[in-house]
Amino acid sequence: MQGPMPSDGRNPGGPARAIPDLRGNVNLPRMKPALPAATVERLPRYLRCIEQLPPSQTTISSKQLALISNLNAAGVRKDLSFLGSFGIRGVGYQVDELSTRIRRALGLTEDRAVVVVGVGNLGSALANYGGFGQRGFRIVGLYDADPAKIGRQVGGIGVRCITTLSEDAKSTEIAVAIIATPASVAQGVATLLAEAGVPSILNFAPAVLTVPDGTHLRQVDLATELQILSFYLAGG
């Protein structure tokens, strides 16, 4: 295994701070003191939108970016102002420069190592997904506690026993760990990862986890998202 994923997203000017994101999650890393959490939430959307532009398009206005990202132009301009002064009045932003600035702000200018803990249906799907590598996140390790899964190859990577993760972390700079385990064991896995020095955790398990200061935690709860959609389906 080698090293790669988000540097660790911590503020180089001081200790990491746990701050809320738009959905109330905590432990979102403050990327720089002047970059608001809400802006961090939207930058990946802007990046995805401009990456889908035709190669022949070299500039994009805040109005067009707002249209394709389903946001408002004033908000787009405010978000991008945190990246520096580089827009041209009446022309907009150079697409290449905009992409570079967003990637730099998000810490995507270097390769980052990712491990997946829990190699069930979800974990296997994540291991086989090729899109992470295109964005600088390289899956370098898969872990599980099930003896029947250990030694299997998934996405070209051998599954290792979870008990080896702490030792592996000493020789590999793991930037992000994805938890794809049952909810009943997710907290134990999160604790193990934090103790192993893994700085960032993305949790897919349907459980509310607690991690120490300095460990950044993000939650992806599909059941919660479906419940929110149900509210709107019911006319809420």
Side-chain angles (χ1 to χ4, degrees):
M1 303 200 319
Q2 315 107 272
M5 162 127 186
S7 33
D8 72 8
R10 283 180 260 194
N11 177 7
R17 290 183 54 194
I19 57 176
D21 67 13
L22 295 180
R23 295 178 184 171
N25 296 320
V26 296
N27 298 306
L28 178 68
R30 183 182 294 278
M31 310 199 60
K32 3 174 140 166
L35 201 58
T39 296
V40 176
E41 292 280 332
R42 290 186 288 267
L43 288 180
R45 183 188 297 194
Y46 300 147
L47 183 61
R48 181 175 294 277
C49 288
I50 62 178
E51 287 178 343
Q52 294 174 344
L53 295 172
S56 58
Q57 182 170 344
T58 59
T59 62
I60 185 170
S61 67
S62 58
K63 183 177 180 180
Q64 183 187 5
L65 185 53
L67 181 64
I68 61 179
S69 61
N70 198 27
L71 296 167
N72 68 76
V76 169
R77 288 192 295 273
K78 182 175 181 180
D79 285 340
L80 299 187
S81 70
F82 290 108
L83 306 183
S85 300
F86 62 105
I88 302 173
R89 184 179 298 275
V91 176
Y93 305 91
Q94 293 290 328
V95 171
D96 287 346
E97 183 177 6
L98 177 57
S99 175
T100 297
R101 290 190 181 230
I102 293 176
R103 292 180 64 82
R104 186 182 299 135
L106 291 174
L108 301 178
T109 55
E110 56 186 282
D111 210 21
R112 303 189 185 280
V114 181
V115 298
V116 178
V117 182
V119 193
N121 291 334
L122 176 58
S124 296
L126 293 171
N128 281 300
Y129 176 59
F132 295 133
Q134 298 171 5
R135 294 187 174 276
F137 302 107
R138 183 164 43 87
I139 295 181
V140 298
L142 304 175
Y143 296 88
D144 206 288
D146 184 351
K149 295 176 182 176
I150 296 170
R152 284 173 39 196
Q153 291 279 317
V154 180
I157 302 174
V159 179
R160 294 172 60 80
C161 182
I162 183 65
T163 58
T164 68
L165 193 149
S166 295
E167 191 64 29
D168 291 344
K170 295 178 182 178
S171 58
T172 301
E173 187 180 343
I174 302 171
V176 174
I178 299 175
I179 297 178
T181 66
S184 58
V185 299
Q187 180 59 62
V189 170
T191 300
L192 183 153
L193 291 168
E195 291 176 348
V198 177
S200 300
I201 297 173
L202 180 62
N203 177 41
F204 278 88
V208 177
L209 305 183
T210 301
V211 295
D213 290 344
T215 301
H216 309 304
L217 173 67
R218 294 283 293 178
Q219 176 77 36
V220 180
D221 193 331
L222 300 180
T224 296
E225 297 303 321
L226 288 171
Q227 290 166 359
I228 292 172
L229 288 175
S230 178
F231 169 79
Y232 291 106
L233 287 170

